[in-house]
Amino acid sequence: MAFSVTGRRCCPLKLLEINNTLLSYCLQNSTPLPKAVVDVLSRTRSRQQFGDKLLSSVQVLQMNRLLIKLTGAKKILDIGTYTGVSAVNSALATSKTGKVYSFEKSHKHIKTAQENIQMSGVEDRVSIIQGEAKNSLERLCETDEGSFGFSYIDADKANYPAYFDLSLKLLKPGGIIAVDNTLYRGLVTNSTDKTGQRINAANNYFSQSREVELIMLNIGDGYTIAIKEQ
């Protein structure tokens, strides 16, 4: 496994980043992630039952931070908690009165995420909602529609279109959706890879939406940004 270095901090590289000869230069000339976020990345990587595969890339986490700060988002959706990396990252990017709603169904992941969130000192800014994310988001729409500023989607790929639509309902006009893994190891044009096919279908779905303006970027494992039209 290759690693990117930000200052003295090492973080795992995604497959599509390994041959990017300018990535290290970009990271060296970018604001590094907060130490608390890098620590969660390191702890996740060191635990045998977890590992690198489901972690967001450094540049994706950096982009999330910039988008949250740019929009001033105070209510944030974090769809796919895993070990809490993106939740901690978002909580540190928003204001002290901001709130991150993180969705996860795995008891094991939630337990680890709660430990990481507490160690990062942001337990007052993160609420983990256990269960199927789609069902939880639908319930949230009944009370909080149109009140969120940012949504990060990094969960089960089959439900990406549903997460996108539910995020749109929950976002206020001008709110932003960021979607990870939208190039999925470069396999989105591979007709024999099932996950690649699902991501390709989701990308087509996103791009046909009349409610957003979006761009797909070749960073990390693919990263799509969509802004809800005013």
Side-chain angles (χ1 to χ4, degrees):
M1 171 64 68
F3 298 92
S4 62
V5 179
T6 57
R8 296 181 180 179
R9 308 165 191 169
C10 296
C11 301
L13 287 178
K14 295 296 183 180
L15 180 64
L16 295 178
E17 295 177 316
I18 292 173
N19 294 321
N20 184 346
T21 57
L22 290 174
L23 178 60
S24 293
Y25 180 83
C26 291
L27 292 173
Q28 288 167 9
N29 287 280
S30 300
T31 303
L33 292 171
K35 183 179 183 300
V37 177
V38 177
D39 287 346
V40 178
L41 287 167
S42 298
R43 284 194 294 271
T44 301
R45 192 174 68 245
S46 67
R47 294 191 178 189
Q48 189 174 6
Q49 69 268 39
F50 293 110
D52 302 327
K53 185 177 178 182
L54 300 180
L55 287 172
S56 301
S57 75
V58 172
Q59 285 192 310
V60 164
L61 292 169
Q62 288 172 323
M63 283 294 298
N64 283 358
R65 289 180 56 78
L66 285 176
L67 292 170
I68 290 168
K69 287 174 175 287
L70 181 66
T71 59
K74 292 186 177 180
K75 288 181 70 175
I76 296 163
L77 298 168
D78 178 59
I79 305 172
T81 309
Y82 193 39
T83 60
V85 177
S86 57
V88 169
N89 186 60
S90 294
L92 291 171
T94 189
S95 68
K96 290 184 179 180
T97 58
K99 191 75 173 180
V100 179
Y101 296 72
S102 192
F103 301 84
E104 179 61 57
K105 67 178 181 179
S106 166
H107 291 277
K108 180 179 74 172
H109 292 172
I110 289 174
K111 182 177 183 296
T112 301
Q114 287 173 332
E115 293 171 358
N116 284 325
I117 289 164
Q118 186 172 15
M119 291 175 70
S120 302
V122 292
E123 60 268 28
D124 59 329
R125 279 177 261 174
V126 180
S127 176
I128 298 179
I129 301 170
Q130 186 174 357
E132 295 288 344
K134 183 173 177 291
N135 297 336
S136 299
L137 289 163
E138 287 171 346
R139 286 193 295 270
L140 196 59
C141 284
E142 296 173 5
T143 57
D144 289 60
E145 184 172 342
S147 64
F148 285 80
F150 183 78
S151 176
Y152 179 53
I153 301 173
D154 184 17
D156 54 299
K157 312 314 176 193
N159 278 315
Y160 264 27
Y163 297 150
F164 187 85
D165 284 344
L166 289 164
S167 293
L168 277 176
K169 287 184 179 181
L170 287 162
L171 285 181
K172 62 180 72 173
I176 288 177
I177 301 173
V179 190
D180 199 14
N181 305 119
T182 50
L183 290 176
Y184 189 66
R185 305 180 186 177
L187 297 175
V188 285
T189 57
N190 186 328
S191 60
T192 63
D193 186 89
K194 290 184 179 180
T195 302
Q197 289 176 341
R198 286 183 182 138
I199 294 292
N200 180 53
N203 288 335
N204 290 333
Y205 185 80
F206 303 155
S207 65
Q208 291 171 12
S209 174
R210 296 182 178 181
E211 296 184 60
V212 301
E213 184 169 337
L214 62 77
I215 183 171
M216 179 186 290
L217 300 175
N218 186 9
I219 64 172
D221 194 35
Y223 182 72
T224 295
I225 306 168
I227 183 168
K228 184 175 179 179
E229 295 284 15
Q230 300 283 348

